[in-house]
Amino acid sequence: MPGYWLARAKVRDPENYKRYTDRVPDIMAKYNAKVIVRGGENQIMEGPKDFNRFVVIEFPSMQDAVDCFNSEEYQTAAGFRRDGSGDVEIAIVEGI
């Protein structure tokens, strides 16, 4: 069954955040991930309105999604946004 990254973000420093987003496509390709949603118009129906960017990425399996997140490459890239350039929440869920 596929695994999905469900992420929501608030970009605080677009220039520094781009250092993260520029690296992610190559990392995702190594895990055969498919971006389903990346940014775009959204409407928050319930819950806090703190986030302004939403991302959904499909992986071949839950394990692939976890392995990608835990990979040294991804953790290095994520460091560029964890410097205060953005606030991000990521959940990994198994599809049906």
Side-chain angles (χ1 to χ4, degrees), residues 1-6 27-28 30-33 57-76 78 81-82 90-95:
M1 288 192 247
Y4 294 88
W5 281 19
L6 306 177
I27 297 167
M28 296 294 131
K30 290 181 181 182
Y31 290 87
N32 298 309
I57 301 173
E58 180 182 65
F59 291 82
S61 70
M62 179 82 168
Q63 190 61 56
D64 289 322
V66 170
D67 289 347
C68 180
F69 182 84
N70 289 328
S71 72
E72 184 175 335
E73 284 178 300
Y74 181 76
Q75 290 300 312
T76 298
R81 65 168 168 73
R82 291 177 178 151
I90 298 175
I92 299 175
V93 299
E94 187 173 56

Side-chain angles (χ1 to χ4, degrees), residues 27-59:
I27 297 167
M28 296 294 131
K30 290 181 181 182
Y31 290 87
N32 298 309
K34 177 182 174 185
V35 177
I36 307 294
V37 174
R38 183 177 177 199
E41 185 176 341
N42 67 79
Q43 189 171 6
I44 299 171
M45 305 308 284
E46 289 188 43
K49 297 182 178 6
D50 299 337
F51 299 93
N52 58 6
R53 182 176 174 84
F54 296 85
V55 180
V56 178
I57 301 173
E58 180 182 65
F59 291 82

